[in-house]
Amino acid sequence: MTNLGGSKMSQHKQIRIALNNCGVIDPENIKEYIARDGYMALGKCLTEMKPEDIIREIKDSGLRGRGGGGFPAGLKWEIACKNKADQKYVVCNADEGDPGAFMDRSILEGDPHAVLEAMAICGYSMGATKGLIYIRAEYPLAIERLKIAIEQAREFGLLGKNLFGTDFEFDIEIRYGAGAFVCGEETALIHSMEGLRGEPTIKPPYPAESGYFGKPTNVNNVETYANVPIILRKGANWFNKIGTEKSKGTKVFALAGKIKNVGLVEVPMGTTLREVIYEIGGVIENDKKFKTVQTGGPSGGCLTEKHLDTPIDFDNLVQAGSMMGSGGMIVMDEDNCMVSVAKFYLEFTVEESCGKCSPCRIGNKRLYELLDRITQGKGEMEDLKRLRNMSNVIKDTSLCGLGQTSPNPVLSTLDNFYDEYVAHVVDKKCIAGQCKDLMTYFIIEENCVGCTACARVCPVGAITGEKKEVHYINPEICIKCGACEERCKFDAIIVK
Amino acid sequence: MTKIKTLADLERIKNEMRSDKDLNGSQDNSENAVKIKVGMGTSGIASGARDVMDFLTEALEKRNIEAVVSQTGDMGYSYAEPTIEVRKPGQKPVVFGYVDVKKADLIIEKYIKLGEEVEGIIPVNYKTIDD
């Protein structure tokens, strides 16, 4: 695919590893996967490698969990391997839940066999014979393609008994989730698969010790698995040359928001936010000014201009006040109100909190209410202190990752956009013009020619005035929809 | 299907497929066929990729152009869905974005038949694991 010639090739910021086959092969034809060296890694592992060799290779590669936490995958496998049991399980976490994220869905829809192969390899390395894919029922196409892939792999003898003529057997089943955000947390995910409520439990014990029905269980995310066959084919030393010192390889991001090239990108760790947003994403639409980039979904934070040259990796993003998360990346411009953004994420968290522990169940609700008050212009300076204080308590005292990270959008916007909060509280103004309660539409008398266009378009009849005379907007009736401003040809309507 | 038991079995399937090097249209090894892949991930289908695929399959047959149309996953260019990749015999593949039925028609008539440029080409912007 080098149709741009050698010199330009080096300028490509992206490397497709996890997305290697995505958009290249027919996902419903196992032979196309095999033609791209598919199942070679599994064959090599079963016939030429011992489990400990595989684990060492994954550890040496430096692969870290792509679901958000960034825990070293090889170490996880090793712990699951060392825990002895009559039955162990390999689980694939395909419960992608961040708003706007679709990396895992794309991998499952475009290259399902990569995940199956990796799970079988993981099974061999830790001594498990059963694999489970936990996927949300909202992903029907991914489920259908997974089913086809599993069927085909069984038919070709790549799942089932005596794989590659050895004693090793491995098979995979699909488990459906109802699409609860908390079920991306591994203990909650396991409980959901067991038929219990999707609620987390305290770790330890970690799933590697006591997971699915109390058996050692390895849980990795879709993208983590997608990297595995390629690491084993190309070698740990190939993989660990890509990326930064502590974060190896690439990361897939679902790039969205106020940019031209919305879509999937896969960049080496260490690529800067600026390169991703400006060079890959393309400039901000309508020449608006860049304001912030949100990474890590409801668990992450908003980074600003001053963070743009930060090389993306697990540790740098945390240090900057956000996190890698599963790979959502939303670019926002000057028209986005940061208080509203924090409120949006909190609304999501409040919906998705399982309710088991009170800091998360009650605390996030109270955080949301405070933010709601501020966007309505009813906030006071004391509220900003309360926001921060409560956020820290929720982070420190919540049971699982959901609550421990849910205040991040609030804290990072408080850190980076404190002035905007103050403007909402003190001046009762929303600079971005998003908080309707803080806006008033006015007609500038000098500009109004009395054409009646605004009065005709107003859906609530808030504008009155005779033909060819100055019109008036009744603030009591106005719902601040902005239709009049759009319609006026004489710049006579402004928002304050 | 006999089951795969060894690495050599895998190699054999791989080589069978590789005789048709670009994978697309694995069932048809014809060197002279135009090969088209339609990005059929959720975002592609939601933007109308299925209609485009149906149209291409039908139109190419009606117009007597030897071609193989197959589906693939998400190419990653969500902003330009539906996306298709067209590979003319002996040429580098070209990815087109914003392909509706009308555009697909234009691609057949102009790009495939006459080799003329059609708007909406998405340049390759990534390295592969083999680069």
Side-chain angles (χ1 to χ4, degrees):
Chain A
M1 295 239 175
T2 55
N3 71 353
L4 287 179
S7 64
K8 278 210 170 165
M9 274 311 295
S10 56
Q11 291 173 13
H12 292 334
K13 300 284 181 204
Q14 303 194 54
I15 307 177
R16 291 198 173 174
I17 299 176
L19 297 177
N20 177 41
N21 289 326
C22 220
V24 178
I25 63 167
D26 178 351
E28 296 181 16
N29 184 350
I30 190 173
K31 284 188 178 178
E32 293 205 1
Y33 180 65
I34 293 172
R36 300 264 294 181
D37 295 317
Y39 290 104
M40 283 288 170
L42 177 63
K44 191 174 120 187
C45 286
L46 293 185
T47 57
E48 294 167 9
M49 292 171 87
K50 292 200 188 93
E52 54 266 34
D53 299 334
I54 299 168
I55 289 170
R56 191 178 322 112
E57 195 73 4
I58 298 296
K59 277 172 93 174
D60 288 349
S61 76
L63 177 68
R64 292 171 67 172
R66 298 294 193 249
F71 192 81
L75 190 58
K76 220 177 195 180
W77 292 21
E78 188 176 54
I79 298 167
C81 173
K82 281 184 179 157
N83 286 315
K84 300 279 171 256
D86 53 346
Q87 181 59 264
K88 298 183 188 178
Y89 295 95
V90 175
V91 172
C92 173
N93 181 350
D95 191 61
E96 187 169 51
D98 288 10
F102 54 95
M103 301 75 53
D104 295 346
R105 190 191 71 205
S106 299
I107 292 172
L108 292 170
E109 286 174 2
D111 194 13
H113 286 285
V115 175
L116 305 186
E117 182 182 4
M119 288 175 72
I121 292 169
C122 177
Y124 174 68
S125 76
M126 65 180 265
T129 58
K130 286 209 170 87
L132 298 160
I133 299 174
Y134 184 80
I135 184 166
R136 45 180 50 217
E138 290 105 318
Y139 280 1
L141 184 66
I143 290 170
E144 191 191 318
R145 293 206 172 135
L146 270 174
K147 280 185 181 164
I148 294 170
I150 292 170
E151 236 5 88
Q152 287 181 351
R154 282 181 188 147
E155 199 184 307
F156 277 64
L158 295 165
L159 284 177
K161 291 199 162 116
N162 302 109
L163 302 183
F164 284 91
T166 65
D167 293 338
F168 179 62
E169 63 167 283
F170 193 78
D171 207 354
I172 294 173
E173 284 174 32
I174 301 177
R175 291 294 150 86
Y176 307 106
F181 184 61
V182 73
C183 289
E185 199 282 338
E186 53 187 12
T187 60
L189 182 153
I190 287 167
H191 295 315
S192 171
M193 289 200 307
E194 289 169 342
L196 304 171
R197 285 179 69 141
E199 289 179 341
T201 40
I202 291 173
K203 296 191 278 192
Y206 288 90
E209 196 185 317
S210 172
Y212 188 57
F213 289 114
K215 305 291 184 189
T217 304
N218 179 69
V219 185
N220 280 133
N221 149 278
V222 171
E223 190 187 331
T224 315
Y225 282 125
N227 278 289
V228 166
I230 295 172
I231 290 173
L232 290 162
R233 254 162 39 212
K234 309 265 309 179
N237 286 328
W238 172 82
F239 189 81
N240 66 25
K241 286 201 178 60
I242 302 164
T244 63
E245 196 196 334
K246 287 185 177 156
S247 302
K248 301 299 184 189
T250 56
K251 179 76 193 82
V252 182
F253 290 99
L255 196 53
K258 305 282 179 66
I259 41 147
K260 273 189 187 161
N261 303 335
V262 170
L264 283 180
V265 302
E266 180 170 359
V267 289
M269 300 278 189
T271 307
T272 64
L273 286 164
R274 188 185 299 281
E275 287 170 310
V276 173
I277 296 165
Y278 285 89
E279 293 180 39
I280 299 171
V283 288
I284 307 238
E285 277 190 315
N286 305 326
D287 298 320
K288 294 273 184 181
K289 201 165 166 278
F290 167 84
K291 188 174 197 176
T292 184
V293 54
Q294 209 282 346
T295 69
S299 310
C302 292
L303 302 176
T304 60
E305 188 78 34
K306 68 172 190 263
H307 302 110
L308 280 182
D309 293 309
T310 307
I312 301 168
D313 74 7
F314 290 105
D315 313 292
N316 283 342
L317 287 183
V318 169
Q319 210 173 7
S322 184
M323 69 181 281
M324 181 80 85
S326 63
M329 195 181 268
I330 302 169
V331 179
M332 299 178 207
D333 66 14
E334 51 193 325
D335 289 345
N336 292 99
C337 161
M338 289 300 114
V339 185
S340 302
V341 167
K343 193 174 105 176
F344 166 81
Y345 282 109
L346 257 294
E347 190 180 359
F348 178 84
T349 312
V350 168
E351 277 282 307
E352 295 293 342
S353 170
C354 75
K356 185 172 179 177
C357 73
S358 34
C360 179
R361 181 183 67 244
I362 302 169
N364 282 318
K365 179 80 179 160
R366 293 289 101 86
L367 268 188
Y368 173 78
E369 287 165 356
L370 274 180
L371 290 167
D372 196 38
R373 261 172 55 179
I374 294 171
T375 57
Q376 287 175 16
K378 295 175 190 157
E380 34 192 275
M381 282 309 280
E382 202 56 31
D383 287 341
L384 302 188
K385 278 187 201 154
R386 285 191 195 108
L387 276 177
R388 189 178 288 280
N389 184 19
M390 203 145 60
S391 292
N392 287 327
V393 172
I394 295 170
K395 272 176 85 103
D396 289 345
T397 55
S398 287
L399 172 62
C400 82
L402 195 154
Q404 286 158 12
T405 57
S406 61
N408 284 351
V410 180
L411 289 171
S412 75
T413 46
L414 273 174
D415 286 342
N416 294 316
F417 300 96
Y418 190 72
D419 292 349
E420 237 181 285
Y421 277 90
V422 173
H424 279 77
V425 171
V426 178
D427 310 329
K428 311 292 176 198
K429 287 268 180 285
C430 174
I431 307 157
Q434 239 193 319
C435 297
K436 289 199 168 156
D437 290 319
L438 302 183
M439 287 160 27
T440 321
Y441 281 82
F442 282 103
I443 292 182
I444 306 174
E445 293 187 9
E446 298 87 77
N447 291 3
C448 180
V449 298
C451 69
T452 74
C454 57
R456 277 180 279 132
V457 81
C458 178
V460 289
I463 307 180
T464 50
E466 295 299 317
K467 251 186 200 172
K468 300 196 176 166
E469 276 174 34
V470 172
H471 281 51
Y472 166 75
I473 302 174
N474 184 346
E476 300 288 311
I477 306 175
C478 174
I479 55 165
K480 295 149 190 174
C481 67
C484 53
E485 189 195 13
E486 249 173 60
R487 181 59 65 92
C488 181
K489 289 178 191 156
F490 304 96
D491 294 329
I493 297 175
I494 55 160
V495 194
K496 272 191 195 163
Chain B
M1 176 64 214
T2 48
K3 303 216 167 195
I4 290 166
K5 284 286 165 213
T6 60
L7 281 172
D9 292 343
L10 268 185
E11 284 287 349
R12 194 176 37 74
I13 295 178
K14 186 177 149 185
N15 290 334
E16 262 171 40
M17 298 289 291
R18 282 276 161 112
S19 61
D20 174 38
K21 237 188 153 190
D22 53 15
L23 305 175
N24 203 341
S26 51
Q27 313 306 323
D28 183 343
N29 285 344
S30 169
E31 293 287 314
N32 299 319
V34 177
K35 284 157 191 176
I36 301 179
K37 298 179 201 176
V38 182
M40 297 267 267
T42 292
S43 61
I45 293 171
S47 316
R50 231 185 262 286
D51 291 340
V52 172
M53 185 155 173
D54 290 346
F55 171 80
L56 284 167
T57 315
E58 214 172 285
L60 288 161
E61 201 188 322
K62 266 193 201 151
R63 298 175 202 181
N64 286 321
I65 298 168
E66 199 180 334
V68 184
V69 182
S70 65
Q71 67 166 353
T72 185
D74 194 331
M75 297 188 199
Y77 314 110
S78 310
Y79 63 95
E81 295 283 9
T83 47
I84 68 170
E85 184 194 281
V86 181
R87 186 190 292 247
K88 291 171 73 174
Q91 291 189 21
K92 296 259 156 70
V94 177
V95 175
F96 293 93
Y98 313 98
V99 183
D100 53 10
V101 168
K102 219 170 123 193
K103 179 80 161 280
D105 184 50
L106 209 63
I107 291 170
I108 298 175
E109 291 304 316
K110 282 197 159 177
Y111 179 73
I112 295 178
K113 279 193 183 167
L114 307 170
E116 284 174 19
E117 211 169 285
V118 175
E119 252 181 69
I121 292 178
I122 302 173
V124 175
N125 63 352
Y126 58 88
K127 287 186 254 190
T128 69
I129 56 168
D130 300 313
D131 285 328

